[in-house]
Amino acid sequence: MSLNYKISGLNGSSSKMRKVKEPARGCNSVLNWKRLLFFVTKIEVTGTCKDNKSLVLVEQFNVSNELLHELASSFYKSDQITALKCTKQLGDKLSTKHEITCSLNGVTNVELSGQCPVHDDKAPLVHEKLAREHDNGILKVCMWVLFVIALCSPISCLWKNRKGEMKKKEHTQSSSRSAGKWMKKLLVLFVLVGVTVSIWLFWYLNDGIQLRRRETIANMCDERARMLQDQFNVSMNHVHALAILVSTFYHGNQPPAIDQKTFGEYTERTSFERPLTSGVAYALRVRHSEREKFEKEHGWTIKKMDTEDQDQTLAQDCDPANLDPSPIQDEYAPVILSQETVSHIVSIDMMSGKEDRENILRARASGKGVLTSPFKLLKSNHLGVVLTFAVYNTHLHQDATPEQRINATVGYLGASYDVPSLVEKLLHQLASKQTIVVNVYDTTNASAAINMYGPEEIDTGFLHISSLDFGDPSRKHEMRCRFKQRPPPPWTAILASGGVLIITFLLGHIFYAAINRIAAVEHDYRKMMELKHRAEAADVAKSQFLATVSHEIRTPMNGVLGMLQMLMDTNLDAKQLDFAQTAHASGKDLIKLINEVLDQAKIESGRLELEAVPFELRTILDNVVSLLSTKSQEKGIELAVYVSNQLPEVVVGDPGRFRQIITNLVENSLKFTHDRGHIFVSVHLADEVTDENYMKIFNGSKSNAVCNTLSGLPVVDRKKSWENFENLSRKDINESEQIKILVTVEDTGVGIPIKAQSSIFTPFMQADSSTSRTYGGTGIGLSISKRLVGLMNGEIGFVSEPGTGSTFSFTAVFMKKETCSLDTVLQQYHPDTSEFRGLRALVIDQKNIRAEVTRYHLERMGISVTIISDFDSAQSSQSPIDSAVFAMVLIDQEVWDKKSGLAFLRGLKSSTKLFLLANSVSPAIQDEIQSANMVATVVPKPLRLSILISCFQEIISVGNTSFLARRKPSTLGTLLRNKRILVVDDNIVNRRVAEGALKKYGAIVICVDSGKAALEKLKPPHSFHACFMDLQMPEMDGFEATRQIRRLESMVNEQIESGEVSIEMFGNAGHWHTPILAMTADVIQATDEECMKCGMDGYVSKPFEEEQLYSAAACFFESD
């Protein structure tokens, strides 16, 4: 709404408001000629130029309209030009953009800023054109000088070379002449390329200079536009708050708590909060039926806004008494409250002006502030705008309809803004950066933009336009910025291109000698690349062959091992069972070898990828120990595992490959360690190895002629196994998300000969030629382990001394994982240890490392551990009170001494349980313990969590309550009972193997031999609970069969959800999804991913064990 009467005819031809002037033209004509030369093949012509006014492009290149269109049409015919753009972009967001009109758009999207219309006033343009032509002349002279020098130099060289050739002897061989001509041609080409590069460099550097100027003006303009918009928004918020104040105290109280005097004093005192406003006023909404009553209450007549007399409007002493009454209309908006500076507008009807009426209607319908078009303010005679807010008599939600807002409207609050003063204040804050000229325009009417602030626009180079958003979407404003001064000539580009030209001529002198060398090198390089490609092709072929052969072998091996397993489940005598077990073990060894060869092939062909799943480090190590415990007990080797308590319970990585590395290393140690000694696996954080406590426990120092090791035998210095690691610390990883561990496998075996240590990680290589015969093996395990460690972003190393032993160490990087999200998963595999928490145990062992291993396993169960070295120490520190504290005593067999041991046992209370840790217990020791009326339970080594829990649950009692057999009843083998499972395989042997394995767990198995048959069987409704699907089958493979099954299930589920069919028609199943698991002999990662994509729920690899089939299917069924 207007508080200071707007001038009539402001948008007319006689208006003093400044319109948008002609666009900025480039200050550097070289830039324009460059664009015409390089981008004419990509020119785009769109839009029209109106009013017979010249194009900026016409003035840029000094050609007429007719010539330009002829040029465009000729290029169009040759498909080299598409359009000449003549557009104008009006942005309504604050972003760095260029207003483009009549511009050249090339492959680099370089655009000229400006506007299509050019005003008829030609006088200023003539002077500008003359100035540009002067600058263009200087640059043209420089370019021609460079070009002439570039042409003269190769011509001079050619002339000298020709004179030299004429002096040569006539008996020069034709091959030499050909070589000389080739050299001369290449020399000329090189010089021409150098000249071209120098010219290109000039344009490139000049482009960079122009780009930096564009960025500079864009940043400066955007900064000013952003500050102007922020200041306006702050002031607008204060006006909005004043509207809320009026709604609360004028309409919310009866009688109103605000009158003209109060409003005037308040607005004057708070005017500092609205420094950008020249005045605020409040107009009440009065309907025609209420007009007479309203005028009687206020004692004055509603006046009509007079906008016809411009002089009267501009008068500062405008008297409302001289105005005519407002004509009859549906409703009125007379001003009843106003700031003292605009008190003369009281009683004037703001609805009597056409534009004010439209603004008021928009404000009350939208609930937002609306702006008027620019008009001249009183006193300052500056251009300004009026912001109008509707005042409501009730609180409205944001999603209120326009009708609700109109009905709730009781008045209108308006404030006038002095835009030039606002911009001047803004620019005054940035006075130190005033290197540009700023204009603010109202571009609501794109064809007649109004210059609200700024001088007449003068062409000084680039123009940047930043959009302004003052909160009214119907009004559009923008800020246009130019540099105050024209840019200087691009001396940097001139000097740089000249320097390149000089360097080109200097290099031409040595080109003849260099070309011979280059030709020789290129010949050698081509030969080397050919050999390289041949070697790579042979390597890939070998890897593919190995992978294919391994795949084809695994399929029949599945039948061999499966049938042997089924044979062993029949009634065989001892001899027959031994034969079957031997054949089964040999088959497993063959599968292991095939897996190793396949891994090597996948590594060499780059197809081996690691999984990223959560797993428990300690569980993996326990599994490895369980797997190899029998072999270590047979050889009498002590096998132990220790994991630092600083490692998290769960990490994310590939558990299978991690287990494979440790298994390879431990199996190597078992193979090369004789019937004494030990194998010790320890896992720590990579940073722990520098800790003093670590070195104190694991340094293997000697004490009383006995080495501080697991078996007491000397070992190598484990520190040397990782001293050559480049990234041992965690500085190369993200510590918040990743963890780096160090795994060490120590043994007391025969060691590795010095001469063989350099090739220990080479595939199919072993220490010496007799190793394969003496110890067995293929020599591929360590090679695969090294590759797998590399895939885990780790390093592997070793130290070995013949006759002492070896120590292998490797690092691996895993992702961290919170254990809380995996509690339900871990409970399925972990026995309950809650009954042991809080108990205390006494460990008697003379070897510190072995005692620490025992402590590690007991603390995993929540048992507090005290360690002493011998019985004498126990008797000196043990008292009857202390003996009652310990619920158990664990004694290593090596520490047992009859005399001191029996004395110690007699001091124990009957409630204390005794455990003996040993690989194999001597009957004599048990007899000696029984003589003291004690029973010692033997805990077989190697120690692991499952063994300790089993032994403790059978013996320990708490108070008078025994918890024998408190472990959770196992559900192994019962989850598949009476479950209908479909087996799909075209190989009858594989079907029989899978059928026999699943029937052992009580499943009802149906077999089919094709994908089409499986599709018929699994069409809803059906009674199958799961399906094992082979992948490679004739007619329809497993992938396609699964896709069609999932498609059928999806259609049925949609019909059930939409109510098209009843649930009873489909066996009362509301959602159909049959678990489908792939049976494949192809264990490549890509195959696994394809299984998941087509809708399968998992896979088992051939040859499969009975437990694999059970585990794969059982996870989809809940235990009772």
Side-chain angles (χ1 to χ4, degrees):
M1 59 183 285
S2 173
L3 300 182
N4 293 325
Y5 306 5
K6 293 178 288 182
I7 308 171
S8 62
L10 283 179
N11 295 327
S13 60
S14 61
S15 174
K16 296 182 181 179
M17 301 179 188
R18 294 181 290 274
K19 304 293 179 68
V20 180
K21 296 302 179 183
E22 66 176 4
R25 289 179 286 275
C27 62
N28 196 331
S29 295
V30 176
L31 175 62
N32 300 329
W33 285 106
K34 179 208 67 167
R35 289 169 179 162
L36 183 61
L37 178 63
F38 274 81
F39 305 122
V40 71
T41 60
K42 290 289 184 176
I43 301 176
E44 295 182 357
V45 183
T46 61
T48 60
C49 295
K50 299 182 292 184
D51 301 330
N52 297 323
K53 296 180 181 180
S54 302
L55 293 173
V56 175
L57 185 62
V58 175
E59 293 187 3
Q60 294 276 358
F61 299 104
N62 196 21
V63 295
S64 64
N65 287 326
E66 293 76 13
L67 292 176
L68 181 62
H69 287 288
E70 289 179 5
L71 178 65
S73 62
S74 64
F75 277 119
Y76 179 77
K77 292 177 181 179
S78 61
D79 293 332
Q80 293 180 357
I81 183 169
T82 55
L84 177 65
K85 180 173 289 187
C86 180
T87 61
K88 180 177 181 180
Q89 297 180 358
L90 296 174
D92 23 22
K93 294 183 180 179
L94 269 177
S95 61
T96 304
K97 60 174 69 173
H98 296 281
E99 296 293 326
I100 308 164
T101 61
C102 297
S103 62
L104 290 175
N105 289 342
V107 291
T108 56
N109 294 327
V110 180
E111 300 173 343
L112 293 175
S113 301
Q115 200 176 0
C116 185
V118 179
H119 292 276
D120 295 331
D121 189 4
K122 300 295 183 179
L125 299 178
V126 173
H127 296 290
E128 296 175 10
K129 190 180 298 183
L130 291 175
R132 286 196 303 273
E133 290 176 355
H134 176 70
D135 294 338
N136 293 343
I138 296 176
L139 295 175
K140 288 177 181 178
V141 170
C142 295
M143 293 300 301
W144 277 110
V145 170
L146 292 175
F147 188 71
V148 169
I149 293 175
L151 289 180
C152 291
S153 298
I155 292 174
S156 176
C157 293
L158 289 175
W159 177 253
K160 291 180 180 180
N161 290 336
R162 183 169 181 80
K163 290 177 66 177
E165 290 177 357
M166 292 174 64
K167 295 180 181 179
K168 290 181 179 179
K169 296 181 180 181
E170 295 180 355
H171 62 273
T172 304
Q173 299 180 359
S174 59
S175 60
S176 299
R177 294 195 191 98
S178 301
K181 291 180 181 179
W182 179 78
M183 292 295 177
K184 288 186 294 183
K185 292 180 181 180
L186 192 58
L187 177 59
V188 173
L189 179 61
F190 173 76
V191 174
L192 290 178
V193 169
V195 173
T196 304
V197 169
S198 65
I199 296 174
W200 171 84
L201 181 61
F202 171 80
W203 266 287
Y204 177 78
L205 295 178
N206 189 36
D207 253 352
I209 295 172
Q210 303 300 329
L211 179 60
R212 286 191 292 273
R213 286 181 61 83
R214 288 193 186 93
E215 292 177 350
T216 300
I217 194 171
N219 292 335
M220 296 176 69
C221 193
D222 290 343
E223 178 185 12
R224 286 155 175 76
R226 183 168 55 254
M227 294 180 64
L228 175 61
Q229 181 172 297
D230 291 344
Q231 292 188 11
F232 188 88
N233 290 338
V234 171
S235 181
M236 185 172 65
N237 291 336
H238 285 293
V239 175
H240 193 190
L242 187 58
I244 298 174
L245 183 69
V246 171
S247 175
T248 303
F249 291 96
Y250 186 84
H251 296 282
N253 296 329
Q254 292 296 332
I258 298 178
D259 55 10
Q260 170 60 32
K261 180 180 179 182
T262 305
F263 185 84
E265 291 178 356
Y266 176 78
T267 53
E268 285 297 330
R269 293 181 181 181
T270 59
S271 60
F272 68 93
E273 296 179 350
R274 304 176 301 279
L276 309 179
T277 60
S278 57
V280 294
Y282 175 66
L284 186 66
R285 180 185 183 185
V286 178
R287 294 175 176 81
H288 180 68
S289 60
E290 303 171 349
R291 176 173 179 173
E292 182 177 356
K293 178 181 178 182
F294 174 82
E295 291 178 343
K296 289 181 180 181
E297 291 178 355
H298 289 80
W300 40 258
T301 303
I302 300 176
K303 303 297 182 181
K304 174 185 177 183
M305 179 185 298
D306 188 1
T307 59
E308 297 179 356
D309 188 354
Q310 179 175 336
D311 295 334
Q312 179 183 352
T313 303
L314 290 174
Q316 300 182 17
D317 55 350
C318 175
D319 187 3
N322 298 330
L323 301 178
D324 296 332
S326 178
I328 297 175
Q329 50 190 10
D330 294 339
E331 60 179 75
Y332 312 90
V335 177
I336 61 173
L337 304 174
S338 68
Q339 192 173 345
E340 294 298 332
T341 56
V342 291
S343 60
H344 58 276
I345 68 172
V346 174
S347 77
I348 296 178
D349 181 15
M350 296 295 109
M351 296 283 283
S352 58
K354 179 180 179 181
E355 186 172 355
D356 291 290
R357 181 184 182 87
E358 293 177 354
N359 289 340
I360 287 175
L361 294 179
R362 286 195 298 114
R364 73 184 187 183
S366 63
K368 300 179 181 179
V370 298
L371 296 172
T372 64
S373 61
F375 65 94
K376 288 193 176 182
L377 300 174
L378 298 179
K379 297 183 181 180
S380 65
N381 205 26
H382 289 170
L383 286 180
V385 294
V386 172
L387 174 67
T388 304
F389 280 101
V391 177
Y392 303 106
N393 59 1
T394 184
H395 176 71
L396 296 175
H397 294 286
Q398 293 182 352
D399 55 352
T401 63
E403 290 78 11
Q404 293 175 339
R405 294 185 182 277
I406 293 173
N407 294 333
T409 302
V410 294
Y412 317 96
L413 185 72
S416 60
Y417 287 85
D418 188 345
V419 175
S421 299
L422 172 61
V423 180
E424 285 291 346
K425 179 181 178 182
L426 168 67
L427 298 180
H428 181 72
Q429 297 175 359
L430 302 172
S432 60
K433 301 180 181 179
Q434 289 302 312
T435 59
I436 62 175
V437 178
V438 176
N439 291 79
V440 178
Y441 284 87
D442 184 317
T443 58
T444 304
N445 185 358
S447 61
I450 302 174
N451 188 355
M452 302 174 63
Y453 172 81
E456 294 289 340
E457 293 189 7
I458 301 175
D459 181 15
T460 57
F462 302 116
L463 168 67
H464 180 76
I465 298 178
S466 297
S467 299
L468 296 172
D469 184 3
F470 289 149
D472 188 353
S474 64
R475 307 295 304 181
K476 297 181 180 180
H477 303 82
E478 63 185 30
M479 178 179 289
R480 302 184 180 183
C481 305
R482 298 174 183 267
F483 284 107
K484 285 187 176 181
Q485 298 178 353
R486 299 179 63 83
W491 293 113
T492 302
I494 295 173
L495 294 176
S497 60
V500 170
L501 195 61
I502 293 173
I503 293 173
T504 301
F505 297 150
L506 292 176
L507 292 177
H509 289 284
I510 62 173
F511 185 74
Y512 181 78
I515 195 64
N516 291 331
R517 180 60 180 167
I518 291 173
V521 171
E522 287 180 349
H523 178 268
D524 295 340
Y525 174 75
R526 286 193 296 269
K527 187 175 181 180
M528 180 190 66
M529 290 302 296
E530 182 179 357
L531 296 175
K532 178 176 177 289
H533 292 324
R534 290 180 181 177
E536 289 178 348
D539 185 64
V540 171
K542 180 198 68 174
S543 300
Q544 292 177 347
F545 171 76
L546 290 175
T548 303
V549 170
S550 299
H551 173 272
E552 295 301 326
I553 293 177
R554 294 171 71 92
T555 300
M557 282 303 301
N558 181 56
V560 172
L561 293 179
M563 288 302 176
L564 285 174
Q565 183 64 48
M566 295 173 65
L567 178 62
M568 289 188 294
D569 293 336
T570 61
N571 295 324
L572 302 177
D573 57 31
K575 190 174 183 179
Q576 293 171 336
L577 181 61
D578 179 64
F579 290 162
Q581 289 175 343
T582 303
H584 191 268
S586 300
K588 283 192 171 183
D589 292 339
L590 178 59
I591 286 296
K592 180 181 178 183
L593 177 60
I594 293 173
N595 289 337
E596 290 180 346
V597 173
L598 180 59
D599 287 342
Q600 183 69 23
K602 288 194 290 185
I603 290 172
E604 292 181 355
S605 61
R607 295 186 297 171
L608 182 63
E609 299 180 8
L610 299 183
E611 293 183 328
V613 297
F615 70 95
E616 263 199 324
L617 283 171
R618 294 167 177 82
T619 302
I620 294 294
L621 293 170
D622 281 352
N623 293 341
V624 173
V625 170
S626 298
L627 179 66
L628 303 176
S629 60
T630 302
K631 187 178 294 186
S632 65
Q633 291 173 354
E634 290 175 353
K635 299 186 70 172
I637 299 172
E638 183 145 3
L639 176 61
V641 171
Y642 176 86
V643 180
S644 170
N645 57 9
Q646 296 189 27
L647 268 72
E649 290 290 332
V650 179
V651 296
V652 177
D654 192 327
R657 297 303 180 182
F658 181 70
R659 181 191 299 109
Q660 182 179 356
I661 297 171
I662 297 179
T663 302
N664 284 341
L665 296 178
V666 176
E667 283 184 339
N668 271 350
S669 297
L670 280 172
K671 183 166 56 176
F672 293 102
T673 302
H674 297 297
D675 298 338
R676 63 189 185 93
H678 69 268
I679 299 173
F680 182 39
V681 182
S682 61
V683 185
H684 295 80
L685 287 176
D687 289 345
E688 283 188 76
V689 296
T690 59
D691 189 18
E692 294 182 359
N693 292 331
Y694 174 86
M695 298 309 301
K696 187 182 299 182
I697 299 174
F698 300 101
N699 62 356
S701 60
K702 291 185 178 181
S703 177
N704 298 328
V706 177
C707 293
N708 184 24
T709 61
L710 200 65
S711 62
L713 297 177
V715 294
V716 296
D717 187 1
R718 61 170 53 197
K719 291 190 299 182
K720 294 181 180 180
S721 63
W722 64 71
E723 64 182 5
N724 294 325
F725 287 0
E726 296 180 359
N727 298 312
L728 181 60
S729 63
R730 293 182 292 176
K731 296 180 180 179
D732 59 325
I733 64 173
N734 185 355
E735 296 187 12
S736 61
E737 299 179 356
Q738 295 177 315
I739 183 174
K740 177 178 283 191
I741 66 170
L742 175 67
V743 182
T744 302
V745 180
E746 174 188 276
D747 67 58
T748 56
V750 297
I752 304 172
I754 301 298
K755 63 180 182 180
Q757 293 184 6
S758 59
S759 60
I760 196 67
F761 291 111
T762 304
F764 305 103
M765 293 290 293
Q766 293 194 335
D768 56 37
S769 59
S770 64
T771 301
S772 300
R773 295 190 297 271
T774 305
Y775 298 99
T778 61
I780 198 175
L782 288 179
S783 173
I784 294 175
S785 298
K786 183 177 182 179
R787 297 291 187 93
L788 293 177
V789 169
L791 292 176
M792 294 179 182
N793 299 321
E795 301 172 275
I796 188 170
F798 71 96
V799 58
S800 180
E801 296 180 5
T804 302
S806 304
T807 297
F808 283 80
S809 298
F810 71 91
T811 59
V813 178
F814 296 116
M815 300 295 292
K816 293 182 179 180
K817 180 70 176 179
E818 296 294 335
T819 58
C820 58
S821 62
L822 297 173
D823 287 345
T824 57
V825 178
L826 297 179
Q827 288 175 0
Q828 299 178 7
Y829 305 101
H830 282 207
D832 186 14
T833 59
S834 59
E835 63 265 30
F836 305 115
R837 299 188 183 279
L839 299 181
R840 294 189 60 184
L842 178 65
V843 175
I844 304 177
D845 197 330
Q846 63 183 358
K847 294 185 175 64
N848 294 339
I849 293 181
R850 196 163 57 192
E852 290 295 331
V853 170
T854 306
R855 183 204 296 271
Y856 154 69
H857 288 288
L858 293 176
E859 288 182 348
R860 290 176 65 187
M861 303 166 62
I863 300 175
S864 178
V865 180
T866 301
I867 298 176
I868 57 176
S869 59
D870 51 39
F871 292 108
D872 294 334
S873 301
Q875 291 176 347
S876 62
S877 60
Q878 189 82 1
S879 64
I881 297 178
D882 292 333
S883 62
V885 174
F886 299 105
M888 64 188 77
V889 176
L890 293 89
I891 305 173
D892 193 273
Q893 180 178 342
E894 291 186 5
V895 184
W896 176 257
D897 176 72
K898 180 178 180 181
K899 181 178 179 181
S900 57
L902 292 177
F904 169 76
L905 295 180
R906 293 188 184 96
L908 295 178
K909 289 195 172 182
S910 60
S911 60
T912 303
K913 301 303 178 181
L914 183 64
F915 296 92
L916 192 64
L917 308 179
N919 285 327
S920 59
V921 179
S922 171
I925 298 178
Q926 290 183 327
D927 294 339
E928 293 174 359
I929 295 175
Q930 289 178 357
S931 64
N933 296 326
M934 297 290 291
V935 177
T937 302
V938 177
V939 180
K941 293 183 180 181
L943 298 180
R944 48 199 184 276
L945 186 64
S946 58
I947 293 297
L948 290 173
I949 292 176
S950 176
C951 293
F952 291 173
Q953 285 180 335
E954 293 178 359
I955 301 301
I956 298 178
S957 61
V958 179
N960 296 325
T961 304
S962 174
F963 49 87
L964 294 177
R966 288 184 58 182
R967 71 185 70 180
K968 183 179 179 180
S970 174
T971 59
L972 183 64
T974 62
L975 293 179
L976 300 185
R977 190 178 304 279
N978 297 325
K979 296 293 189 291
R980 292 177 58 85
I981 298 178
L982 180 66
V983 175
V984 186
D985 199 315
D986 61 325
N987 189 308
I988 187 172
V989 177
N990 289 337
R991 293 200 302 270
R992 292 180 60 186
V993 170
E995 180 183 7
L998 293 171
K999 283 185 175 181
K1000 287 183 61 176
Y1001 296 103
I1004 303 173
V1005 182
I1006 306 297
C1007 298
V1008 294
D1009 59 355
S1010 67
K1012 289 185 177 181
L1015 185 60
E1016 292 297 327
K1017 291 286 186 181
L1018 295 180
K1019 182 182 298 184
H1022 60 79
S1023 59
F1024 291 100
H1025 298 88
C1027 171
F1028 284 93
M1029 179 84 68
D1030 188 28
L1031 297 182
Q1032 298 180 359
M1033 293 182 293
E1035 296 184 2
M1036 180 183 292
D1037 60 17
F1039 297 119
E1040 182 60 26
T1042 303
R1043 292 190 190 97
Q1044 295 195 22
I1045 292 170
R1046 295 303 184 216
R1047 192 178 300 113
L1048 289 175
E1049 292 176 344
S1050 178
M1051 293 173 57
V1052 170
N1053 292 334
E1054 291 178 359
Q1055 292 176 355
I1056 294 176
E1057 291 176 0
S1058 62
E1060 297 180 12
V1061 297
S1062 63
I1063 300 180
E1064 290 77 9
M1065 295 177 58
F1066 293 93
N1068 293 322
H1071 183 81
W1072 283 89
H1073 181 89
T1074 305
I1076 300 178
L1077 300 105
M1079 296 190 300
T1080 175
D1082 191 351
V1083 292
I1084 299 176
Q1085 183 72 18
T1087 304
D1088 303 340
E1089 295 174 356
E1090 183 66 22
C1091 293
M1092 299 299 109
K1093 288 181 180 179
C1094 72
M1096 292 185 175
D1097 300 283
Y1099 67 93
V1100 290
S1101 59
K1102 298 176 184 177
F1104 43 73
E1105 302 281 347
E1106 296 174 353
E1107 293 80 2
Q1108 285 181 276
L1109 292 178
Y1110 174 80
S1111 300
C1115 63
F1116 296 99
F1117 307 115
E1118 298 179 357
S1119 65
D1120 298 331

